Amino acid sequence: MTGRDLRWRAAGLLLSAIACAGTFLHRDGSPLTIVFFLGAICGIVLMLHGKRVAVALRAERRGHCLTAAAIHTQRMRRQERRSDRGRR
């Protein structure tokens, strides 16, 4: 795990902890509870996926929502061609 990925995961942990503490302090049916709940969900996603969340958001913002899938299929094709060359 890279340092950058670890920082994103730590940010997710911090966001989730702050959101849980905020929810605990505003238990009286406050509308802020919904905001804190959403913050906790975002924190959990960051803890699980790390820097991949930032990469996906950046791709979505630029209008290239299928860029990751296109890169993956191209890499798979390249690997297939390399393995075919080795078999000859």
Side-chain angles (χ1 to χ4, degrees):
M1 183 179 319
T2 64
R4 180 175 158 205
D5 193 38
L6 189 59
R7 285 190 298 269
W8 276 104
R9 290 174 191 256
L13 178 67
L14 183 65
L15 179 62
S16 186
I18 289 171
C20 288
T23 302
F24 182 73
L25 294 174
H26 294 282
R27 289 187 295 188
D28 58 350
S30 172
L32 282 176
T33 305
I34 300 292
V35 175
F36 287 131
F37 178 73
L38 293 174
I41 295 296
C42 291
I44 290 170
V45 169
L46 277 175
M47 280 190 290
L48 293 176
H49 295 291
K51 70 179 178 182
R52 287 183 285 177
V53 174
V55 171
L57 289 176
R58 191 168 50 236
E60 286 286 333
R61 188 177 66 227
R62 291 183 181 164
H64 303 289
C65 60
L66 299 178
T67 301
I71 291 171
H72 179 70
T73 55
Q74 183 63 30
R75 285 182 182 165
M76 295 304 291
R77 287 182 195 149
R78 198 176 304 143
Q79 284 180 350
E80 287 174 5
R81 280 187 264 155
R82 287 181 184 166
S83 64
D84 288 342
R85 288 180 187 170
R87 292 180 188 169
R88 292 181 189 176

